[in-house]
Amino acid sequence: MRELIRRAVLLGLLIRFARGDDAFLTDPHYIKECKIADTNFVNCSTQSIQQLFDKLNDGIPGLTSIKSFDPFHLNRIRISQGNSNAINLKVELANIKIFGFGHTKVIESLVFKKDYSWKTTFTLPVMKLQGDYSLFGRILLIPLNGRGQVFLDADNMTVTMHTKTRLYTKGGFTFYNVTNCRVDFKMDGLKSYFSNLFNGNKQLEDSTNKFFNDNWRMLADALYTVITQTIEDILLDVLKKIFHFIPANYFVSDIPTPEQLYGKAKPKLK
């Protein structure tokens, strides 16, 4: 009991509270601090971001806004995609669960001194998605019109994430405001299953699912926008919450203040 109380007191000391959701962490000992001025910064930053992903599996103490990282839950995604005569789709996913981010392996973490945006490359050995779908359109001239459950299983996915930030200060620390996240990806395989693709025609459903699995690259191209938006929605939500809670100083110890990077704001004329 005493040990539990001691840990609670210690956690309270490590988390500063300002107003409402302005709580932030002041001693993330599990993160490797790096200096952007050092020649080995990229290697150091890569280790630091890997440590962050690893910690997300267990949960970051005090960060209650992220309920679960693996699996991650999304309520709804709507996509209209028509990039060729062969592919014209309207897709809606709901009640989505994504498995696999807990096994993220960071390959490289770049931070650009000009604006402190990032380019992060990482792999997901396995990424699985399940949820409810509605789909209307065509893939390679196959007409599709169905509602049911969808299962996607991507093998060895490599993701390149481009992140835009804006620095701000809170409690004497510099923080990242993550404003945009864009991803590209490639994968080594994609297994899929769509139930009720043709409103109960089981024979046609099975043959189409087999066709998708035999021609997974074509399906991956057709669902590229769906997959990228799913990953972007997850990462933008997670990154916003993390970097509002953990000061950027603990990732880049020599990060400038907003005033140093952007210059002092000009006084408004009365």
Side-chain angles (χ1 to χ4, degrees):
M1 185 66 178
R2 288 183 178 178
E3 178 63 16
L4 184 62
I5 295 173
R6 186 189 71 81
R7 291 184 180 183
V9 171
L10 179 61
L11 179 60
L13 292 174
L14 296 180
I15 301 174
R16 293 184 178 182
F17 290 91
R19 300 185 308 274
D21 65 349
D22 281 343
F24 63 91
L25 197 61
T26 60
D27 185 22
H29 58 276
Y30 43 82
I31 294 173
K32 184 179 180 70
E33 286 190 20
C34 307
K35 287 188 175 182
I36 201 167
D38 288 350
T39 56
N40 70 334
F41 173 77
V42 172
N43 181 58
C44 180
S45 180
T46 300
Q47 295 178 49
S48 178
I49 299 304
Q50 181 66 66
Q51 290 171 340
L52 176 65
F53 273 108
D54 292 344
K55 190 63 180 176
L56 276 169
N57 267 338
D58 304 326
I60 295 175
L63 182 59
T64 58
S65 56
I66 299 176
K67 304 301 181 184
S68 174
F69 186 57
D70 192 358
F72 194 89
H73 301 263
L74 287 173
N75 291 328
R76 193 173 303 274
I77 294 175
R78 292 187 179 96
I79 296 289
S80 292
Q81 183 174 341
N83 55 15
S84 71
N85 291 330
I87 299 173
N88 192 341
L89 288 175
K90 289 184 179 180
V91 182
E92 180 174 323
L93 303 180
N95 304 316
I96 311 155
K97 288 184 180 180
I98 300 95
F99 301 83
F101 278 96
H103 301 284
T104 299
K105 301 298 180 186
V106 181
I107 298 172
E108 185 178 61
S109 170
L110 302 175
V111 180
F112 300 102
K113 292 180 68 173
K114 179 181 177 180
D115 58 359
Y116 283 83
S117 60
W118 322 324
K119 179 183 177 184
T120 313
T121 304
F122 59 90
T123 61
L124 298 170
V126 174
M127 190 192 82
K128 298 183 179 182
L129 178 151
Q130 67 182 55
D132 302 322
Y133 84 91
S134 65
L135 186 153
F136 177 77
R138 66 180 183 272
I139 298 177
L140 289 183
L141 304 182
I142 300 173
L144 300 171
N145 185 2
R147 294 175 180 269
Q149 288 194 310
V150 59
F151 300 89
L152 300 177
D153 186 348
D155 181 36
N156 197 28
M157 178 180 285
T158 300
V159 179
T160 301
M161 176 178 69
H162 305 268
T163 311
K164 293 293 185 182
T165 69
R166 185 80 181 174
L167 303 186
Y168 70 100
T169 56
K170 180 171 62 174
F173 291 87
T174 297
F175 286 78
Y176 287 121
N177 177 25
V178 179
T179 59
N180 184 265
C181 178
R182 181 176 58 83
V183 304
D184 299 308
F185 73 86
K186 60 182 180 179
M187 64 178 74
D188 291 343
L190 178 64
K191 301 181 183 72
S192 63
Y193 177 75
F194 295 83
S195 71
N196 199 41
L197 255 182
F198 298 96
N199 296 315
N201 189 327
K202 186 64 174 173
Q203 183 177 359
L204 191 55
E205 174 187 313
D206 289 345
S207 63
T208 302
N209 275 307
K210 183 179 186 305
F211 175 81
F212 286 159
N213 282 283
D214 291 343
N215 299 274
W216 67 266
R217 291 185 188 277
M218 174 275 299
L219 183 65
D221 289 342
L223 297 179
Y224 183 85
T225 303
V226 174
I227 297 171
T228 54
Q229 183 168 329
T230 299
I231 298 173
E232 287 168 357
D233 286 357
I234 292 171
L235 292 175
L236 184 61
D237 179 75
V238 169
L239 294 174
K240 275 181 171 290
K241 291 171 179 175
I242 289 172
F243 289 102
H244 185 67
F245 185 67
I246 304 178
N249 306 82
Y250 293 113
F251 296 92
V252 182
S253 60
D254 53 348
I255 195 169
T257 65
E259 291 77 15
Q260 291 170 332
L261 183 62
Y262 309 126
K264 293 184 178 180
K266 294 181 180 180
K268 295 181 179 179
L269 297 176
K270 294 183 179 180

